[in-house]
Amino acid sequence: MINSKQIEIAKRILQLSEAEVKEFSIDLDNTDAVYISVPIKGGASVIISADGEVLYANSSVSFDVHVREFLAGRRTPLSAFEQVVTDG
């Protein structure tokens, strides 16, 4: 079941509401992680572990490959999602 930390991370990364995150999420069997995918053409997906580790994938990455890479230990640093603010 998706926890509050996973919901907050998914909201930020995928720009979704809490209701959408819950609607678009599925628990991954035999893991503490959830898979959340935006169900539109070109929509991104993330896998988020219970402790907040993330693997992001764009729409060209299949579900099977995404899960395989997550289980192999690949992660996307949360800093990759920070917006760069300039004063220029």
Side-chain angles (χ1 to χ4, degrees):
M1 176 175 240
I2 193 166
N3 69 38
S4 60
K5 183 175 190 171
Q6 291 165 312
I7 291 170
E8 289 305 312
I9 292 170
K11 283 172 47 179
R12 189 178 85 191
I13 292 172
L14 298 174
Q15 300 295 297
L16 298 172
S17 69
E18 183 171 337
E20 289 170 319
V21 169
K22 289 178 179 179
E23 179 183 351
F24 304 150
S25 69
I26 59 169
D27 293 330
L28 292 180
D29 292 337
N30 303 316
T31 71
D32 66 350
V34 295
Y35 173 81
I36 304 133
S37 184
V38 180
I40 60 170
K41 185 173 182 169
S45 301
V46 292
I47 298 175
I48 307 173
S49 69
D51 65 358
E53 292 185 323
V54 172
L55 181 59
Y56 175 90
N58 65 31
S59 62
S60 69
V61 178
S62 72
F63 173 79
D64 293 335
V65 170
H66 196 176
V67 171
R68 182 182 72 223
E69 291 300 312
F70 183 83
L71 294 175
R74 182 166 285 183
R75 300 295 187 266
T76 307
L78 289 176
S79 61
F81 304 105
E82 293 175 4
Q83 294 182 356
V84 177
V85 179
T86 63
D87 59 356

